[in-house]
Amino acid sequence: SLNVASKGNSAARVYAPYTVYKGKAALSVAPILPSFTKLDSGTFRVERQGVMLLTIWPSIGERKYDWERRQRFALSATEVGSLISMGPTTSSEFFHDPSMLSSNAGQVRKSLKIKAFSDGTGYFISLGVANNILKSNEQFVVPITTAEFTVMKTACSFVLPHLMGWDRVTNQSEPVDIVG
Amino acid sequence: SLNVASKGNSAARVYAPYTVYKGKAALSVAPILPSFTKLDSGTFRVERQGVMLLTIWPSIGERKYDWERRQRFALSATEVGSLISMGPTTSSEFFHDPSMLSSNAGQVRKSLKIKAFSDGTGYFISLGVANNILKSNEQFVVPITTAEFTVMKTACSFVLPHLMGWDRVTNQSEPVDIVG
Amino acid sequence: SLNVASKGNSAARVYAPYTVYKGKAALSVAPILPSFTKLDSGTFRVERQGVMLLTIWPSIGERKYDWERRQRFALSATEVGSLISMGPTTSSEFFHDPSMLSSNAGQVRKSLKIKAFSDGTGYFISLGVANNILKSNEQFVVPITTAEFTVMKTACSFVLPHLMGWDRVTNQSEPVDIVG
Amino acid sequence: SLNVASKGNSAARVYAPYTVYKGKAALSVAPILPSFTKLDSGTFRVERQGVMLLTIWPSIGERKYDWERRQRFALSATEVGSLISMGPTTSSEFFHDPSMLSSNAGQVRKSLKIKAFSDGTGYFISLGVANNILKSNEQFVVPITTAEFTVMKTACSFVLPHLMGWDRVTNQSEPVDIVG
């Protein structure tokens, strides 16, 4: 796929979220790849880790959803590890402050909770966003089935090494390099 | 593999079903990849999700099977997730209407059932196709072993990110892009 | 990797068996890829399935092993599925006749047995080859640890879609094809 | 990625360790790929197996860590298999002598221990390095969560076939080779 670069369309992007539509909201997950910096030595280093971007947006009628009111939560590699390790009865909760380390720290608080149904047939995914500046407090809950959660876990296991940049490490020295 | 395109044989296809031959019928599974649309922005979007195509065709004598009487069932990503999450004692059932949303809706009903043997050594895969127009009602049952089901689960886990288009997402920005 | 072909070294091969050396014998496993036939339609079809080749050869002194006396057993995709699905207390046994369907059918009988240690810390892998023509009957047993078996299971899970040819299916239509 | 070689930058390297920062020390893991030798036959053979390199370096104040005092432990493929097979209550211990088979054999002894928390919520990773020549004896302990350990296990499962060189085996004969 290096040829993509040599063909001059390095900006080609593929948009392929996994989306489930439920009664009160829709939920999608999609990977965002890490970015790399080239050091003077010629080595590439991960500059920004990749994330698994989770988006929830509310239903506003039959088969209609309001994308303008979407809320997002970017799961880090370790948070993806937490999701992958969940069993049929466990729960996970993550807290993010999108303005952390800035002057707005603490003004927006996001929480994502994944909680197994009591009968073990699925999970509730709850995303809360409390914004002190806008005086808003949104709360979305999307029930997903075990089959849907298995798709997420399987796809997250596949994508995790890519979020970490490890797929690039393993691609870098083909046997043919030795010939060249 | 982009070179395939540059060599002008972008239509090159590989046919590699996993097939098991049993007493009353044969069963094969093979992935069908998603298709993509190029947006004005240059981004590619999944247009049609990929599926895992399951085909069953009946035996008509010793080591002879009638391919003309094959019936098919295309498992979606979420249905593949259901199959992957099956344990040694669980069962799954899916219902499809191939004419859904058309004027023939409800005329053909397909069902696929996967049910563990009571002794835990394998599964029955049953495909039923009731066609009101042809006044036909076909029912195939294929017993498969745990080893065969493990091949299907392992291959489905491998292929699931490809059905979703996520392998394309992760291939799109190699470090070398930054150089180019 | 298509470039390998365009560079004229399509015969480039990589030899990378996973080998364990034990008191009475050494054991290695290595994948053998499937071969493909090109149909008139331009489609490629799997001609011969890939296998996982298991080789055992006896010890003839301290850190010395006799490669000339090696015996082999080629595990099919389904047999690899059986190995992958093994738990800490299960066992598997496979029987092969390398001359099956020829006039020598039944003259050579091979069996491979994988049996968990009673304490759950590993497995015995036993390979027996009874050859009526040579009047020989070799029997090798190699004890392997859970860690070594986990390497085999993980590597077999990785390689199984390649034995089936599914990695080629998923590589065949990059988004860029649509551009080209 | 063979193009990397043909572009003359075969030395391009990607540095992407997975790092966790804890109270008393930081821990990172990163894969080191195998090296290959080209035989007269044109076949490539694994010359040196790949390893998973684990590095621990001590804290010397708030958010400050002393990289100069790092200690390393290179996990072999089989030791990675041991790590992957660990359950929520098991422990593993590995011993290395970096000067094994040299005149300094036995002078430096390294041990790596992975031990589950008694409450099952994570693991202690302990690295000890006793150096008779320097009369030193360093001992680092890093507690990691189940989520962090799951990231390591998932990434190790992904990378294991690459440490063994099996990704090169499976890349070597594309269908297109048959055309070429």
Side-chain angles (χ1 to χ4, degrees):
Chain A
S1 47
L2 299 177
N3 291 27
V4 172
S6 68
K7 279 179 183 164
N9 53 349
S10 66
R13 282 172 46 86
V14 178
Y15 186 65
Y18 174 66
T19 307
V20 295
Y21 297 94
K22 298 293 164 111
K24 295 190 177 163
L27 174 153
S28 79
V29 287
I32 307 290
L33 295 181
S35 65
F36 294 86
T37 308
K38 192 184 183 181
L39 306 179
D40 290 340
S41 63
T43 301
F44 290 92
R45 202 182 57 191
V46 172
E47 189 183 11
R48 193 167 32 79
Q49 292 275 335
V51 294
M52 180 65 63
L53 191 60
L54 188 146
T55 308
I56 300 187
W57 60 111
S59 165
I60 51 169
E62 207 179 338
R63 290 168 183 259
K64 284 188 183 167
Y65 296 86
D66 186 356
W67 179 248
E68 297 304 316
R69 284 180 55 206
R70 68 186 174 280
Q71 294 290 354
R72 292 188 154 162
F73 199 92
L75 292 161
S76 69
T78 300
E79 288 164 344
V80 167
S82 185
L83 185 152
I84 292 173
S85 66
M86 285 183 69
T89 59
T90 46
S91 63
S92 290
E93 190 156 13
F94 312 113
F95 299 94
H96 284 186
D97 176 350
S99 311
M100 193 172 59
L101 304 181
S102 84
S103 60
N104 282 329
Q107 298 292 50
V108 178
R109 281 163 297 123
K110 293 186 171 188
S111 69
L112 182 76
K113 187 168 188 178
I114 307 175
K115 189 175 180 302
F117 294 171
S118 54
D119 66 359
T121 63
Y123 296 83
F124 288 111
I125 297 187
S126 310
L127 175 56
V129 180
N131 189 318
N132 279 354
I133 302 166
L134 303 175
K135 308 288 182 209
S136 66
N137 194 337
E138 292 246 47
Q139 189 78 24
F140 296 137
V141 182
V142 181
I144 59 167
T145 65
T146 297
E148 290 159 348
F149 195 64
T150 301
V151 172
M152 289 184 200
K153 282 173 76 167
T154 304
C156 281
S157 295
F158 165 79
V159 109
L160 182 56
H162 299 83
L163 300 185
M164 299 161 67
W166 282 29
D167 59 317
R168 312 299 164 83
V169 178
T170 55
N171 268 332
Q172 71 198 2
S173 64
E174 302 277 341
V176 202
D177 285 352
I178 302 170
V179 182
Chain B
S1 50
L2 299 176
N3 290 26
V4 172
S6 67
K7 281 179 182 162
N9 53 347
S10 67
R13 282 171 45 85
V14 178
Y15 186 64
Y18 174 67
T19 307
V20 294
Y21 297 94
K22 298 292 164 112
K24 294 188 177 165
L27 174 152
S28 79
V29 288
I32 306 289
L33 295 180
S35 65
F36 294 86
T37 308
K38 192 182 182 180
L39 306 180
D40 290 341
S41 63
T43 300
F44 290 90
R45 203 182 55 191
V46 172
E47 189 184 13
R48 191 167 32 79
Q49 291 276 336
V51 294
M52 180 65 63
L53 190 60
L54 188 146
T55 309
I56 300 186
W57 61 111
S59 164
I60 52 169
E62 206 180 338
R63 290 167 183 259
K64 284 188 183 167
Y65 296 87
D66 186 356
W67 180 248
E68 296 305 315
R69 284 180 56 205
R70 68 185 175 281
Q71 294 288 355
R72 292 189 153 158
F73 200 92
L75 292 160
S76 70
T78 300
E79 289 164 344
V80 167
S82 185
L83 185 151
I84 291 173
S85 66
M86 285 183 69
T89 58
T90 45
S91 62
S92 289
E93 191 157 13
F94 312 113
F95 298 93
H96 284 186
D97 175 351
S99 312
M100 192 172 60
L101 304 180
S102 84
S103 59
N104 282 329
Q107 297 292 52
V108 178
R109 281 163 297 123
K110 293 185 171 187
S111 69
L112 183 76
K113 186 167 189 178
I114 306 175
K115 190 174 179 303
F117 293 170
S118 53
D119 66 0
T121 63
Y123 297 83
F124 288 111
I125 298 187
S126 310
L127 174 56
V129 181
N131 189 319
N132 278 355
I133 302 166
L134 303 175
K135 308 288 182 211
S136 67
N137 193 338
E138 292 245 47
Q139 190 77 24
F140 295 137
V141 181
V142 181
I144 59 167
T145 65
T146 298
E148 290 159 348
F149 196 63
T150 301
V151 172
M152 290 183 199
K153 282 173 75 167
T154 303
C156 281
S157 295
F158 165 79
V159 108
L160 182 56
H162 299 84
L163 300 183
M164 299 160 68
W166 282 28
D167 59 318
R168 313 299 165 83
V169 177
T170 55
N171 268 331
Q172 73 198 1
S173 65
E174 302 276 341
V176 201
D177 285 349
I178 303 171
V179 183
Chain C
S1 50
L2 298 176
N3 291 25
V4 172
S6 67
K7 282 180 183 162
N9 52 348
S10 66
R13 282 171 47 85
V14 178
Y15 185 66
Y18 174 66
T19 307
V20 295
Y21 296 94
K22 298 292 164 112
K24 294 188 177 165
L27 175 152
S28 79
V29 289
I32 306 290
L33 296 180
S35 65
F36 295 86
T37 308
K38 193 182 182 181
L39 306 179
D40 290 341
S41 63
T43 300
F44 290 91
R45 201 182 57 189
V46 172
E47 189 185 13
R48 191 168 33 81
Q49 291 275 337
V51 294
M52 180 66 63
L53 191 60
L54 188 145
T55 309
I56 299 187
W57 61 111
S59 165
I60 52 168
E62 206 180 336
R63 289 170 184 258
K64 285 188 182 166
Y65 295 88
D66 187 357
W67 179 249
E68 296 305 314
R69 284 179 56 204
R70 68 185 174 280
Q71 294 287 355
R72 292 189 152 160
F73 200 93
L75 292 161
S76 70
T78 300
E79 288 164 343
V80 167
S82 185
L83 186 152
I84 292 173
S85 67
M86 284 183 69
T89 60
T90 46
S91 62
S92 290
E93 192 158 12
F94 312 114
F95 299 94
H96 284 187
D97 175 350
S99 312
M100 193 172 59
L101 304 180
S102 84
S103 59
N104 281 329
Q107 298 291 53
V108 178
R109 281 163 297 123
K110 293 185 171 187
S111 69
L112 183 76
K113 186 167 188 177
I114 305 174
K115 190 175 179 304
F117 293 171
S118 54
D119 66 0
T121 63
Y123 296 83
F124 288 111
I125 298 188
S126 311
L127 174 57
V129 181
N131 189 318
N132 278 354
I133 302 166
L134 303 175
K135 307 289 182 209
S136 67
N137 194 336
E138 292 244 48
Q139 190 78 24
F140 295 137
V141 182
V142 182
I144 59 167
T145 65
T146 298
E148 290 160 348
F149 196 63
T150 301
V151 172
M152 289 184 200
K153 282 173 76 168
T154 304
C156 281
S157 294
F158 165 79
V159 109
L160 181 56
H162 299 84
L163 300 184
M164 299 161 68
W166 282 29
D167 59 317
R168 312 299 165 83
V169 177
T170 55
N171 268 330
Q172 72 197 0
S173 64
E174 302 277 340
V176 201
D177 285 352
I178 302 171
V179 182
Chain D
S1 48
L2 299 176
N3 291 25
V4 172
S6 67
K7 280 179 185 164
N9 53 347
S10 66
R13 282 171 47 85
V14 178
Y15 186 65
Y18 174 66
T19 308
V20 296
Y21 297 94
K22 297 293 163 111
K24 294 188 180 167
L27 176 152
S28 79
V29 288
I32 307 289
L33 295 180
S35 65
F36 294 86
T37 307
K38 193 183 182 181
L39 306 179
D40 290 341
S41 63
T43 299
F44 290 91
R45 201 183 56 192
V46 173
E47 189 186 12
R48 191 168 34 79
Q49 292 275 336
V51 294
M52 181 65 64
L53 190 61
L54 188 145
T55 309
I56 300 188
W57 61 111
S59 165
I60 51 168
E62 207 180 336
R63 288 169 184 258
K64 285 188 182 166
Y65 296 88
D66 186 356
W67 180 249
E68 296 305 315
R69 284 179 56 205
R70 67 186 175 280
Q71 294 288 354
R72 292 189 152 160
F73 200 93
L75 292 160
S76 69
T78 300
E79 288 164 343
V80 167
S82 184
L83 185 153
I84 292 173
S85 67
M86 284 183 70
T89 59
T90 45
S91 63
S92 290
E93 191 158 13
F94 312 114
F95 299 94
H96 284 186
D97 176 351
S99 312
M100 193 172 59
L101 304 180
S102 83
S103 60
N104 282 329
Q107 297 292 51
V108 179
R109 281 162 296 124
K110 293 185 170 187
S111 69
L112 183 76
K113 186 167 188 178
I114 306 175
K115 189 174 180 304
F117 294 171
S118 54
D119 65 0
T121 63
Y123 297 83
F124 289 111
I125 299 188
S126 310
L127 175 56
V129 180
N131 189 318
N132 278 355
I133 302 166
L134 302 175
K135 308 289 181 206
S136 67
N137 194 336
E138 293 244 47
Q139 189 78 25
F140 295 138
V141 181
V142 182
I144 59 167
T145 65
T146 297
E148 290 159 348
F149 196 63
T150 302
V151 172
M152 290 184 200
K153 283 172 76 167
T154 304
C156 281
S157 295
F158 165 78
V159 108
L160 182 55
H162 298 84
L163 300 184
M164 299 161 67
W166 282 29
D167 59 317
R168 312 298 165 82
V169 178
T170 54
N171 268 331
Q172 72 198 1
S173 65
E174 302 277 341
V176 201
D177 285 352
I178 302 171
V179 182

